[in-house]
Amino acid sequence: MHHNKAAEIRGLKFSYPDGTPALSGIDFDIEHGESIALLGANGAGKSTLALHLNGSLRGEGQIMIFGLPIIKSNLKEIRRRVGLVFQDPDDQLFSQTVFDDVAFGPINMGLSQEDVGGRVASALAAVGMEGFEKKPPYHLSFGQKKRVAIATALSMEPDMLVLDEPTSNLDPRGKGKVLEIIKSLPITKLIITHNLDEASRLCERAVIMSGGKIVADGTSQAVLSDEPLLKKYELTYD
């Protein structure tokens, strides 16, 4: 039994080194198995919030991830349990081959060669990229890179996946493929998106951020059908 929530955030504040405030008091819980759409205009603080979930950024306030406070001694375990998939796959892929990129996390965890191979195989299978192990990532299409980037997170067997604009810059076929992959993953998901259609297809809960605060939080059905609310925060169905 999981008693702890996937994430508990209380009074989170964060300013960039130049003093620009990015988060100004966030209270936010994520339950196990939830899929949540995180919506809002550019600069609302969505990516900044996401980067706090695995300790990449450290603001003031309380954060518990799967019951673990974000302190140095917990970071390794938190980063194993929370997979971050960036908007641009080139921020995630840096090895000579697809295999090496997807194996990077499991190797870092100290798994045996055999276990690493198994993790890579199942992560690539989950994103439909089997057979690409020996290919250099820079020879892949953008959509294929996106799928490998997701595999680099999945190879850690995370309990939560945080995806930043997972379908941005993809053609319709690539979009469909990535959405299918995300939908099929039976783990907790936080999906940053500006695409309301996608939010309603993937997530049962929707949260809107504006100016570093959460301004709406409810079922996708309620939030995404509230036209005055969407209009107020400049959210539109593409």
Side-chain angles (χ1 to χ4, degrees):
M1 265 300 285
H2 291 303
H3 292 292
N4 296 312
K5 296 172 189 268
E8 293 172 85
I9 298 173
R10 294 289 174 274
L12 178 63
K13 292 182 176 164
F14 180 80
S15 295
Y16 284 102
D18 68 0
T20 312
L23 300 175
S24 39
I26 299 274
D27 295 307
F28 186 54
D29 283 1
I30 301 175
E31 303 290 341
H32 286 277
E34 271 194 305
S35 35
I36 302 174
L38 189 54
L39 306 160
N42 284 342
K46 304 181 302 288
S47 299
T48 307
L49 175 58
L51 287 166
H52 278 79
L53 293 175
N54 78 342
S56 293
L57 291 177
R58 310 276 294 273
E60 39 182 310
Q62 296 279 180
I63 302 188
M64 301 280 273
I65 301 292
F66 296 105
L68 298 169
I70 295 194
I71 52 177
K72 211 171 173 186
S73 55
N74 287 338
L75 279 181
K76 203 173 169 169
E77 175 65 4
I78 286 168
R79 290 190 178 148
R80 184 192 73 69
R81 298 188 70 173
V82 180
L84 239 52
V85 180
F86 300 113
Q87 183 170 353
D88 183 350
D90 290 332
D91 292 340
Q92 209 129 15
L93 306 175
F94 47 81
S95 304
Q96 295 302 303
T97 68
V98 165
F99 183 94
D100 290 341
D101 265 330
V102 182
F104 182 80
I107 287 171
N108 252 3
M109 285 166 65
L111 295 180
S112 70
Q113 207 172 345
E114 191 183 355
D115 286 345
V116 169
R119 291 285 188 103
V120 172
S122 60
L124 288 175
V127 299
M129 289 294 287
E130 316 91 313
F132 284 81
E133 288 81 352
K134 295 197 168 76
K135 293 254 193 307
Y138 50 84
H139 283 174
L140 302 177
S141 73
F142 187 79
Q144 290 171 330
K145 282 184 189 175
K146 274 276 203 203
R147 283 149 63 186
V148 173
I150 294 171
T152 64
L154 293 181
S155 66
M156 302 285 280
E157 294 183 355
D159 297 306
M160 174 157 70
L161 209 51
V162 179
L163 301 124
D164 195 348
E165 297 284 358
T167 64
S168 65
N169 303 328
L170 287 174
D171 61 27
R173 197 171 145 267
K175 261 193 175 110
K177 188 81 193 134
V178 167
L179 290 176
E180 207 176 294
I181 290 162
I182 295 170
K183 213 168 164 55
S184 71
L185 298 169
I187 55 177
T188 307
K189 287 170 278 204
L190 181 70
I191 301 165
I192 298 174
T193 178
H194 64 273
N195 185 318
L196 302 185
D197 214 32
E198 207 165 282
S200 64
R201 274 172 62 187
L202 292 176
C203 304
E204 67 257 11
R205 179 178 165 200
V207 173
I208 301 176
M209 285 184 74
S210 179
K213 283 188 157 65
I214 290 176
V215 292
D217 182 351
T219 65
S220 296
Q221 215 173 354
V223 172
L224 298 173
S225 61
D226 185 335
E227 284 178 27
L229 178 74
L230 298 176
K231 203 170 169 172
K232 181 177 180 183
Y233 295 107
E234 295 168 37
L235 296 168
T236 51
Y237 282 89
D238 300 350

